[in-house]
Amino acid sequence: MKFSIKLGLWFFICILVIESVSMLFLHKNVVHSLVNEELHSLQARGNSHRDVLEMSYTSETLHHIAMMETQTDTEVVITNLKGSVVEASRKIDPGIQYILEIEVDAPPRNGYIIQADWKDQQYISTVSPFDDGAGNQGYVYMLKSNDHIQAFIAKLNHHFLIAIVLILVFLLVTIIFLLKVLTSPLVSMKEATKKLSNGDFSVTVPVMSNDEIGELSKSIQLLANDLSYLKKERNEFLASISHELRTPLTYIKGYADIGKRKTITEEERINYMNIIHEESENVHQLLHELFELAKIDENMFTIQKMPINIKDFLFPIYEKARHVFLAQGHQLELVCRGEWRVEIDPRRFEQIILNLLDNALKYSSEKSLTKIDVYKENQEILIAISDQGQGIPSEDLPYVFNRLFRVDKSRSRLTGGFGLGLAIVKEIVEAHSARISVDSEFGEGTCFTIRLKESFHEDSFTH
Ligand SMILES: Nc1ncnc2c1ncn2[C@@H]1O[C@H](COP(=O)(O)OP(=O)(O)O)[C@@H](O)[C@H]1O
Ligand SMILES: [Mg+2]
């Protein structure tokens, strides 16, 4: 069942129940007060006849009273104490007889209601006693035919019915209108999400209001935009990856073809084999880095942080890297200006530092100096790795952490990287809740800075 129909039905049933109960209550009250009104006026009339009788109890008066009542829609019956009829405004029919037979028991002077049942009896009735002080005693019965009351109530019912029908029609129209207003944005959202799940991200969800439904529309639109951006990014990434793979594979295939020839010397063959080996290493490296990124994206990548003295952590890495730097005619320096502890995953963090040092080495010309500088600033521990290399043009600076981004698009065979290193570095740094930033002066050098929170836990890493 549709949501709008369900909601509408609930609304309708609730209002219907409320309306029925209040109408029933109102109807009962109206009828009750009408009958009461009638009874009280009967009693008042009976009392006034009583007063006349007590003033002059003559056959003329009796006759006069009966005469008066024949002109109205009420009836009068005057009896003596024993209940024999003395005078009546109309013939005694079974309905009147029924009332006269009800025993009158010590009535108060102002009389009382003897018959109030307007549904099943022919008359409603009151009785007032009279006593003129000269031995004339008896009762004045006032009666009114229930036909009048029933006719009035039938008319009342008719009015009520019209009112109920009108209210229901109005209610139905209002509910339909409200549901249209309420559900039309929901319907368009439903269509949008259906399109999204079918892979069509080019949806536009109109935002028609500023309430929760409007917020939901905005969220769906945002989701659609994000999905479409992700799809575009993924396609671009895949295209770049296949391009990256094609280059080394072309080399491998080409040199393998030449290597197969019988006309080449053994020396040449070994040379070609070396190139093939180097290019396979490249492919291997690319696949390794891609796998690393995929693990990070899949959240399969775990960080096991532990409190570590930063100096003790960096020193062995520096020692290891220094030899590589020296072998290539470069210099590496480590300056640690204090004893601080940080919470890091040492294996992962070593990967970060080696990656940054590798870049510093790769993108510097000979005999330049690379520095690892550790210091404290604004409650944070900073690790700055600065080189005197070729630097990064300022227009490229915002993109260096993007996947597959390289300043030099035509990758030189010497400094062959895939542009994934810094992307991995950034992911690992952020997994540590730390930050990394880059400053660079083109032609002067580059500085990568990692900011970490200081840890006040006990040291668990000893050098
Ligand atoms: N220290 C640096 N000096 C100059 N350029 C750098 C430095 N580090 C990174 N870059 C630039 O940023 C790009 C991306 O670096 P990275 O992600 O490590 O990829 P890769 O080293 O595989 O090329 C590099 O191709 C290079 O152009
Ligand atoms: Mg690199």
Side-chain angles (χ1 to χ4, degrees), residues 260-285:
K260 275 195 301 193
R261 290 184 195 154
K262 295 207 169 72
T263 51
I264 57 169
T265 62
E266 192 58 21
E267 201 180 326
E268 279 174 316
R269 203 188 312 277
I270 289 172
N271 188 23
Y272 295 149
M273 283 300 177
N274 280 339
I275 296 175
I276 291 174
H277 182 258
E278 211 172 278
E279 288 300 335
S280 335
E281 275 297 315
N282 275 341
V283 175
H284 188 257
Q285 179 64 18

Side-chain angles (χ1 to χ4, degrees), residues 131-132 213 240 254-255 358 378:
D131 179 359
D132 70 347
I213 291 182
S240 312
Y255 283 106
D358 176 53
N378 298 333

Side-chain angles (χ1 to χ4, degrees), residues 173-337:
V173 171
T174 315
I175 286 177
I176 290 171
F177 173 74
L178 271 181
L179 287 181
K180 268 253 154 5
V181 170
L182 201 72
T183 54
S184 78
L186 290 182
V187 168
S188 67
M189 276 188 252
K190 191 194 89 181
E191 260 144 34
T193 47
K194 203 166 156 190
K195 259 171 117 184
L196 284 183
S197 74
N198 284 338
D200 179 0
F201 302 138
S202 64
V203 295
T204 42
V205 192
V207 179
M208 290 189 272
S209 52
N210 228 341
D211 49 18
E212 290 91 336
I213 291 182
E215 289 286 311
L216 190 60
S217 304
K218 271 188 223 158
S219 307
I220 291 178
Q221 185 66 61
L222 208 68
L223 180 70
N225 295 350
D226 284 354
L227 281 175
S228 122
Y229 174 76
L230 279 178
K231 188 180 171 186
K232 192 168 143 259
E233 205 185 42
R234 190 192 61 181
N235 288 344
E236 282 173 5
F237 187 66
L238 283 177
S240 312
I241 291 292
S242 45
H243 178 77
E244 291 298 339
L245 277 173
R246 206 174 300 130
T247 318
L249 286 178
T250 311
Y251 276 94
I252 292 173
K253 191 166 170 286
Y255 283 106
D257 279 343
I258 304 171
K260 275 195 301 193
R261 290 184 195 154
K262 295 207 169 72
T263 51
I264 57 169
T265 62
E266 192 58 21
E267 201 180 326
E268 279 174 316
R269 203 188 312 277
I270 289 172
N271 188 23
Y272 295 149
M273 283 300 177
N274 280 339
I275 296 175
I276 291 174
H277 182 258
E278 211 172 278
E279 288 300 335
S280 335
E281 275 297 315
N282 275 341
V283 175
H284 188 257
Q285 179 64 18
L286 172 63
L287 291 180
H288 171 77
E289 285 178 354
L290 282 175
F291 188 60
E292 199 76 349
L293 273 175
K295 270 198 299 191
I296 294 172
D297 285 348
E298 280 290 313
N299 284 331
M300 276 160 43
F301 171 87
T302 49
I303 294 274
Q304 276 162 351
K305 286 205 246 182
M306 51 181 79
I308 282 174
N309 180 309
I310 190 77
K311 200 180 198 170
D312 294 345
F313 164 71
L314 282 175
F315 194 73
I317 301 175
Y318 158 74
E319 281 285 286
K320 229 189 301 180
R322 197 164 62 101
H323 297 296
V324 183
F325 272 70
L326 285 177
Q328 295 191 25
H330 291 270
Q331 280 178 41
L332 184 63
E333 208 178 279
L334 170 66
V335 181
C336 200
R337 307 175 192 199

Side-chain angles (χ1 to χ4, degrees), residues 45-114:
R45 211 168 160 79
N47 287 342
S48 96
H49 290 327
R50 175 206 63 197
D51 293 344
V52 174
L53 280 177
E54 284 181 351
M55 270 191 282
S56 97
Y57 187 86
T58 60
S59 62
E60 218 167 276
T61 317
L62 286 168
H63 192 64
H64 187 70
I65 290 172
M67 270 290 285
M68 265 168 64
E69 289 304 335
T70 51
Q71 303 300 315
T72 64
D73 58 1
T74 52
E75 306 295 341
V76 65
V77 176
I78 300 163
T79 67
N80 59 21
L81 281 182
K82 291 204 186 72
S84 323
V85 176
V86 182
E87 188 65 71
S89 64
R90 65 169 294 170
K91 227 175 100 242
I92 305 297
D93 59 22
I96 300 177
Q97 191 59 44
Y98 178 81
I99 288 167
L100 294 181
E101 279 166 14
I102 300 171
E103 200 177 327
V104 181
D105 185 25
R109 178 158 164 74
N110 275 334
Y112 67 93
I113 295 158
I114 193 164

Side-chain angles (χ1 to χ4, degrees), residues 359-360 362-363 387 390-392 400 405-408 417-422 446 448:
N359 279 351
K362 254 191 331 197
Y363 303 109
D387 61 50
Q390 63 195 48
I392 302 168
V400 288
F405 179 85
R406 286 190 315 255
V407 172
D408 180 10
F418 297 100
L420 289 173
L422 287 179
T446 308
F448 285 93

